[in-house]
Amino acid sequence: MTKGSDAASEQLVKSRKRVADHGEVFTPRWLVDDMLDLVKSETERIDSRFLEPACGSGNFLVPVLERKLAAVQANHGKSDFEKRHYALLGLMCIYGIELLDDNAVECRENLAGTFARYLGIDGGDEWDSAARTVLAVNIVQGDALAMTTSAREPITFPEWGYLGRGKFQRRDFRYDSLTQRAAASKGLFAHFEEHEIFTPVRTYPAMTVREIAAS
């Protein structure tokens, strides 16, 4: 199938009103893939972090997750324990902000479905519950320019890390602080030091998948 016919089969506009009111036009998959190929090494690194400030229903974030999961399979596919934990880490490193509520919900569902299909799990499984807990805080309905949620509160994002042996660490940071830090460094959450003013607003105890799912 050609790139042109791929684009023709995709729904790039939901309605003329949404285009007029919000400038909402989705990027076709072939163009997404071409753009991601420009940063191919990062898309294939499991713990690289991606933030889409106008994530829509996940046109960019789902392909990023697919690439991360392919890297999980290549590097950890022989161990079901490691495969599952690193797949969740890949999901944890994907972030989005979306102005419209229905798009934010759809984005979370699309990412959760991609994760579930890779692990071969059903809804209600603790891994599915953990993934949805992660997506509830990683995909935010809000205004990326104002850096506020739909409730006009400052956007907060969690920094997730895998400690090994089935344990994850979570620290929450305000988005406005992260963007100030990113302007002078290599990216969000990059090289935080204890003495810096960009300290987490909350730090959680190390958690297992079961504890994340129950939180």
Side-chain angles (χ1 to χ4, degrees), residues 121-134:
I121 59 177
D122 298 319
D125 180 280
E126 72 179 11
W127 287 88
D128 178 70
S129 297
R132 291 177 183 277
T133 297
V134 168

Side-chain angles (χ1 to χ4, degrees), residues 128-143:
D128 178 70
S129 297
R132 291 177 183 277
T133 297
V134 168
L135 291 170
V137 291
N138 277 30
I139 307 300
V140 174
Q141 185 199 353
D143 186 330

Side-chain angles (χ1 to χ4, degrees), residues 14 18 22 35 44 68 75 103 110 117 131 150-151 179 200 214-215:
K14 287 189 174 180
R18 289 168 72 107
H22 306 289
M35 294 172 70
E44 296 173 349
K68 286 178 175 289
N75 291 285
N103 282 344
N110 288 338
R117 285 190 295 275
S150 56
T179 54
S215 63

Side-chain angles (χ1 to χ4, degrees), residues 151-172:
R152 301 187 183 279
E153 297 292 332
I155 291 174
T156 299
F157 280 126
E159 175 201 37
W160 300 95
Y162 183 44
L163 305 177
R165 299 185 178 183
K167 292 280 190 175
F168 293 92
Q169 179 70 64
R170 173 181 171 178
R171 301 191 301 168
D172 291 353

